[in-house]
Amino acid sequence: MGLVDDYLSAYKVGKKEQMAARMAFFISGFAVATWAPMIPAVKDKLQIGADVLGMLLLSIGISAFIFMPLAGMLSRSYGCKKVLRTAIAVMAADLIILSLLGNIWGFLVFLAVFGAAMGCIDVNMNLNAVIVENASKKRMMSGMHALWSVGCFAGAGLFSLLAKAGLGITVIAAIHSLIVMVFTVIYSRHFLNFKGAGNEKPIAVPKGIVVFFGVLACITFLGEGAVMDWSGVLLTEVKNTELSLAGVGYAVFSVAMLCMRLLGDKIVAVLGEEETLVFGSIIGAIGFLSVIFLENFYAIQLGFVLMGLGLANIVPTIYSLTKYQKVMPINAAVTAITSMGYTGVILGPAVLGFVAHGFGITQVFYLLAVLLAAQGVAVKYYFAKMG
């Protein structure tokens, strides 16, 4: 067992702490899903093109990436509970501010604030989840990550209902922020006030097997981002699907991923971490190849199902595996893996956009299939080498 064992005896974890850890993911997903439906209204208000909007949205990812290493430092100084509470409150307030702004520079600043809060939440909710799972001595990570998707569905769904009722985005943002804070007040008292060891280095520089875990997370996030960004383009431009059906592939992928994560803890318990990573990578690779070679619209959806099923439990399993590593304190390991994984989110659109522009959209899906297949082989080889 790894360095996480040193911390378990200090925390009493029961059902309240387990539920709170799950709800941290739900709250994060709900808040993120509140911003996404606001984007068209912001574009219209600012009268900007897609290029400028893209640069504004990029500030979220860059800010989140910068603040993730700082999030580990903050949790070390103030504890996981305080950082989560503060970051969630900042994100909730920021949603209301974003709904009120009317100029590009204001949006640039407060989207960066949104990204910073999101980065802090991502690191600390996963850190809290790792400690809760290990202290509980039961598999919970996939189910926790499933709650993030549930939060996204709930946030997007409620936003749509309120918008159809005629409410403006500021009122909707205020309602959503209130919901976020109510859930936070109820559940955050059961977040763990985890700080880690006092001799940890302030910056989490990944090393050893943590680097390997971070690469796996990066490839997986790259795959998830490719489905979100490019599935609609593939369907409309390559498969000649109607524009109204362009979003079906990503919707099918999302539902398949959610269902698999809800079952994921039991599946990992049966297969084990290594086989979950191997089979998940291979199934995901088959999914990416399927959407290339299949032509019937309904048959293509099978490929998106396979992608969702394959990718669903890779990242949760990676976080669970931090209990075995001995090269870094748990704060630093979780921070490093999250930061490395997020490079797939930050660099993914640019890298895949270059591939799509230079070689065609189909080559993006070939590339992801190769990366995932190689990932499966690498996991098998690495674990065999480690014994």
Side-chain angles (χ1 to χ4, degrees):
M1 297 294 287
L3 294 176
V4 70
D5 284 342
D6 298 336
Y7 310 133
L8 296 185
S9 60
Y11 298 98
K12 182 179 179 181
V13 173
K15 291 184 178 180
K16 291 181 179 179
E17 287 75 19
Q18 293 170 1
M19 179 56 70
R22 294 186 180 99
M23 289 305 298
F25 285 85
F26 177 89
I27 291 167
S28 175
F30 188 91
V32 170
T34 302
W35 160 244
M38 292 167 60
I39 295 175
V42 169
K43 184 175 182 294
D44 184 62
K45 181 189 290 187
L46 297 180
Q47 294 293 298
I48 57 176
D51 54 344
V52 177
L53 177 62
M55 293 301 294
L56 284 175
L57 297 179
L58 185 61
S59 67
I60 297 177
I62 293 175
S63 180
F65 181 72
I66 292 172
F67 267 81
M68 281 177 178
L70 298 177
M73 295 170 58
L74 290 171
S75 66
R76 178 172 171 259
S77 298
Y78 301 104
C80 192
K81 178 190 290 188
K82 289 182 180 179
V83 176
L84 271 175
R85 279 178 166 173
T86 302
I88 291 171
V90 169
M91 180 178 280
D94 198 63
L95 286 170
I96 299 174
I97 295 172
L98 287 170
S99 72
L100 294 168
L101 293 174
N103 64 83
I104 290 177
W105 294 112
F107 272 103
L108 185 64
V109 171
F110 283 95
L111 284 176
V113 172
F114 188 85
M118 187 170 68
C120 288
I121 293 170
D122 280 354
V123 169
N124 281 277
M125 72 181 183
N126 278 295
L127 177 59
N128 185 71
V130 167
I131 303 301
V132 168
E133 182 185 60
N134 282 277
S136 302
K137 301 188 184 302
K138 60 185 294 188
R139 299 191 181 279
M140 302 171 59
M141 194 63 67
S142 291
M144 291 182 190
H145 280 252
L147 262 290
W148 191 87
S149 298
V150 173
C152 286
F153 285 129
L158 180 60
F159 193 105
S160 297
L161 290 175
L162 294 176
K164 287 182 179 179
L167 299 182
I169 63 169
T170 300
V171 176
I172 297 174
I175 293 172
H176 277 228
S177 295
L178 178 61
I179 292 171
V180 166
M181 290 312 301
V182 168
F183 277 119
T184 302
V185 169
I186 292 172
Y187 291 102
S188 67
R189 54 184 172 168
H190 300 298
F191 294 160
L192 299 184
N193 194 33
F194 176 75
K195 292 185 178 181
N199 60 348
E200 292 181 19
K201 294 181 179 180
I203 299 297
V205 179
K207 57 184 179 180
I209 195 171
V210 174
V211 175
F212 183 63
F213 290 160
V215 172
L216 298 185
C218 180
I219 293 174
T220 304
F221 279 130
L222 188 65
E224 292 181 25
V227 181
M228 180 174 64
D229 295 335
W230 298 104
S231 61
V233 178
L234 179 80
L235 287 174
T236 54
E237 295 186 3
V238 179
K239 304 300 180 179
N240 298 314
T241 301
E242 294 180 13
L243 185 61
S244 61
L245 299 175
V248 172
Y250 182 63
V252 170
F253 167 83
S254 299
V255 172
M257 175 172 279
L258 172 59
C259 293
M260 190 62 166
R261 281 183 171 171
L262 289 172
L263 298 172
D265 294 315
K266 293 182 179 179
I267 291 174
V268 177
V270 172
L271 295 179
E273 289 98 343
E274 177 185 347
E275 298 306 324
T276 297
L277 293 177
V278 172
F279 285 130
S281 300
I282 299 303
I283 290 171
I286 293 172
F288 276 96
L289 290 176
S290 296
V291 299
I292 296 173
F293 292 108
L294 295 173
E295 295 297 331
N296 180 273
F297 175 78
Y298 297 101
I300 291 172
Q301 303 317 308
L302 174 62
F304 288 111
V305 169
L306 292 175
M307 290 180 202
L309 297 179
L311 298 181
N313 292 313
I314 294 177
V315 171
T317 302
I318 290 169
Y319 280 116
S320 292
L321 281 169
T322 56
K323 66 188 177 185
Y324 296 117
Q325 64 85 29
K326 300 180 180 181
V327 297
M328 298 180 72
I330 196 65
N331 285 52
V334 171
T335 300
I337 290 169
T338 306
S339 299
M340 289 184 67
Y342 222 74
T343 59
V345 178
I346 301 300
L347 299 179
V351 173
L352 298 181
F354 173 79
V355 174
H357 179 75
F359 304 98
I361 185 62
T362 302
Q363 303 307 314
V364 169
F365 286 76
Y366 272 123
L367 174 62
L368 268 300
V370 171
L371 285 175
L372 285 169
Q375 175 173 286
V377 173
V379 168
K380 198 70 177 176
Y381 171 79
Y382 198 95
F383 276 84
K385 184 179 179 181
M386 295 298 292

